[in-house]
Amino acid sequence: GPDSDILAFPDWETLPYDILSPHQDLVSERLEALYRLLNRSPDASLDVLVVPATAALYRLCPPSYILGHTFFFKQGQQLDGEKLRAQLVFAGYQHVSQVVAPGEFSVRGGLIDLFPMGATLPFRLDLLDDAIETVRAFDPDTQRSLYPVPEVRLLPGREFPLDEAAHD
């Protein structure tokens, strides 16, 4: 029906022998789809999962990886900036000077910019002492704050862990 839940799981759009990594936006969409599949309530209806044949050929990351590397941030939460930076790098996020694409973060004093995988806009966390004072979405082109958000969900920065356990 009109309110059916359709979830797309895009292909990486790279060839198996390509040295190019899949585009961050595609990885971002795939992680969003996997996260939503894993977090459905048992009675939720997911009518259609659209998966290109090429995407169905590859192994998916373990659910425990996605759930174990997903973090939430909200206003008022205590946050250790150094620990967060380490957490982000561990989750596969790239430290950049200006955040413009999913999977990037930037730290400038008490400001932390994050572009979560699966998100359409990046977010700016404004820290006061060791707590998040405000969380706002911002425009990656103008770098201007747009509106406050109650909570940010941070999916892992890549589809597969880079640690040793991932090589089995």
Side-chain angles (χ1 to χ4, degrees), residues 38-50:
L38 293 169
N39 276 289
R40 270 183 327 163
S41 55
D43 54 349
S45 68
L46 177 71
D47 303 318
V48 188
L49 177 65
V50 182

Side-chain angles (χ1 to χ4, degrees), residues 53-131:
T54 44
L57 296 173
Y58 295 99
R59 242 173 29 152
L60 295 177
C61 58
S64 59
Y65 168 68
I66 290 195
L67 298 177
H69 290 76
T70 296
F71 313 110
F72 291 88
F73 302 104
K74 47 173 158 304
Q75 196 174 348
Q77 181 181 329
Q78 291 295 117
L79 195 68
D80 174 336
E82 278 309 300
K83 198 173 146 209
L84 172 69
R85 189 189 299 223
Q87 221 176 11
L88 286 167
V89 170
F90 180 71
Y93 280 75
Q94 242 186 324
H95 190 264
V96 294
S97 57
Q98 192 170 312
V99 170
V100 293
E104 296 178 343
F105 78 99
S106 157
V107 181
R108 292 186 312 283
L111 284 183
I112 299 172
D113 288 353
L114 300 167
F115 204 143
M117 300 301 274
T120 46
L121 284 172
F123 300 96
R124 184 162 286 151
L125 310 182
D126 199 345
L127 303 188
L128 184 63
D129 300 324
D130 276 337

Side-chain angles (χ1 to χ4, degrees), residues 9-40:
F9 187 72
D11 186 350
W12 281 325
E13 293 180 11
T14 53
L15 298 167
Y17 46 82
D18 247 348
I19 49 167
L20 294 171
S21 297
H23 196 276
Q24 280 294 81
D25 291 342
L26 291 171
V27 174
S28 176
E29 252 180 88
R30 287 166 59 94
L31 284 162
E32 172 70 20
L34 290 170
Y35 181 85
R36 283 180 50 196
L37 281 174
L38 293 169
N39 276 289
R40 270 183 327 163

